[in-house]
Amino acid sequence: YISQTLTEEIQESLNMNEEVTISLKLDYDLLDTSNLLPPEGCSLERARELKRQRRELGRAYYTRNNNMLVQKIDGKNYKNRYVSTYLPVIEYSYTVEEFNKNKNTILSSLSTSSDVKTINVVGSDKKEDQISKALAKSNASSLYSTSNPYTGSGINIGVLETGIADKDHAALSGVNLTVRDEWYYVETKTEHATMMVSILAHQTGGIVPDAHIFSVEAFENLTSELDWLVDNDVDIINISMMVGTSIGEYSTHSAECDYVAKQYGVMIVAGSGNRDSKKNPENKVGNPGLGYNVLTVGNHTLLNSLDNDSSYVVTNGPAKPNLVAVGCNIGIPGYNVEKSGNHITIKF
């Protein structure tokens, strides 16, 4: 922020949250690991080794620089502070009351530091899953499957959601699943996250049943979640949700996903978003689906036409979605339609 004045729209949005997060992008050179990109024709083993080296260098570089600079930045009465290990980012969280009472002092102290490049002020609960709105339109009656030569063996997949998967759910029996459980935050088990893991790794109906799945709940920004997933050496991150209020506008959430994808060799797949009559009546694409290095997926119908509830409008950022896929009449493995009615339409 060039000045310490927040618009009425931003302030109103912040007041609806329990916490306010200030994300600082630090002003120093990004790590260049282009010399460690896999050359054309190299073996899978060699490509994995080069990716491991890039992640180790990134962790050492950003941990050292961030911890050095954080000692020079006064966050002024923050509730929590998070120092990223893979990105040039430091985050401070405040109660809404504390922030509103001292926001000029807080923002002034941060914006005058020569070590800070940009400042983003966001609320903590602007996350929305991309399946629940489709429940009312479900008309699936059976699970369609076909021969799949890929098992996912040796592949690590992150599922970044509005909650964590329920590892005790019957649909996830036998799934190789690791769930993030932090001491400072009470994670919420959600059906949405559980369904996404079942789609991926259900032992008889999943796309890649032998993959190792890492489930993490998005809390405030995505920085610590991305750090945790990179730490666990994921190859792919699936994000079926929108984050933040900048719908249709490229934001810091997409920027961080862009950097993780490019720097650490992670494939990031995101939903383009759903139309909402109140929050998103113009079918605008949500973040992090606006990332330049993010594969963004929209939905089309069985008649090969764009679904009216799928998002495709961008006001500032790259053209999205990158591709569309049939998201109608898709069954969720492990959910019995006769018993629960949860064979649902998947909306990307």
Side-chain angles (χ1 to χ4, degrees), residues 41-247:
C42 79
S43 66
L44 178 60
E45 290 75 16
R46 178 57 179 162
R48 284 188 174 278
E49 172 59 24
L50 290 172
K51 183 161 66 172
R52 183 190 63 78
Q53 291 180 31
R54 287 158 63 193
R55 294 183 182 189
E56 288 183 352
L57 284 173
R59 182 179 178 86
Y61 182 78
Y62 291 110
T63 299
R64 180 179 66 252
N65 282 282
N66 292 349
N67 281 307
M68 179 179 66
L69 294 183
V70 76
Q71 305 301 321
K72 301 164 61 178
I73 299 172
D74 184 2
K76 301 290 184 183
N77 299 322
Y78 54 86
K79 179 181 177 182
N80 289 301
R81 182 181 69 191
Y82 179 77
V83 182
S84 177
T85 52
Y86 289 99
L87 297 162
V89 174
I90 299 171
E91 294 177 351
Y92 296 90
S93 63
Y94 305 82
T95 64
V96 170
E97 291 76 16
E98 175 65 30
F99 179 77
N100 285 338
K101 182 173 66 175
N102 298 304
K103 62 184 177 183
N104 289 335
T105 301
I106 293 170
L107 292 173
S108 178
S109 68
L110 297 175
S111 61
T112 55
S113 172
S114 60
D115 301 312
V116 176
K117 187 173 185 179
T118 60
I119 301 174
N120 289 282
V121 183
V122 298
S124 63
D125 67 350
K126 300 298 182 181
K127 301 178 289 293
E128 187 172 330
D129 72 63
Q130 298 300 294
I131 285 185
S132 61
K133 288 187 176 63
L135 288 169
K137 296 191 175 184
S138 171
N139 62 353
S141 59
S142 63
L143 172 65
Y144 175 78
S145 62
T146 186
S147 176
N148 181 5
Y150 305 105
T151 69
S153 178
I155 301 298
N156 297 333
I157 301 176
V159 176
L160 178 51
E161 285 291 331
T162 56
I164 56 172
D166 181 0
K167 58 185 177 183
D168 297 320
H169 194 284
L172 305 188
S173 176
V175 173
N176 187 6
L177 174 63
T178 299
V179 176
R180 185 188 187 189
D181 184 10
E182 296 291 351
W183 64 269
Y184 56 83
Y185 176 63
V186 180
E187 283 82 1
T188 303
K189 297 177 182 178
T190 65
E191 187 174 55
H192 183 250
T194 305
M195 285 181 172
M196 295 309 301
V197 173
S198 184
I199 291 170
L200 288 167
H202 186 275
Q203 292 300 280
T204 58
I207 299 170
V208 281
D210 293 337
H212 189 169
I213 309 298
F214 292 84
S215 174
V216 56
E217 178 175 353
F219 176 62
E220 298 178 352
N221 284 345
L222 303 181
T223 310
S224 68
E225 291 83 352
L226 292 171
D227 279 350
W228 184 79
L229 290 169
V230 174
D231 248 351
N232 281 283
D233 199 29
V234 297
D235 303 287
I236 303 167
I237 300 175
N238 184 85
I239 309 176
S240 295
M241 65 175 184
M242 295 192 299
V243 183
T245 56
S246 301
I247 302 176

Side-chain angles (χ1 to χ4, degrees), residues 2-14:
I2 297 175
S3 72
Q4 284 76 58
T5 303
L6 302 180
T7 66
E8 290 185 7
E9 182 181 5
I10 293 175
Q11 187 63 62
E12 182 179 351
S13 173
L14 295 177

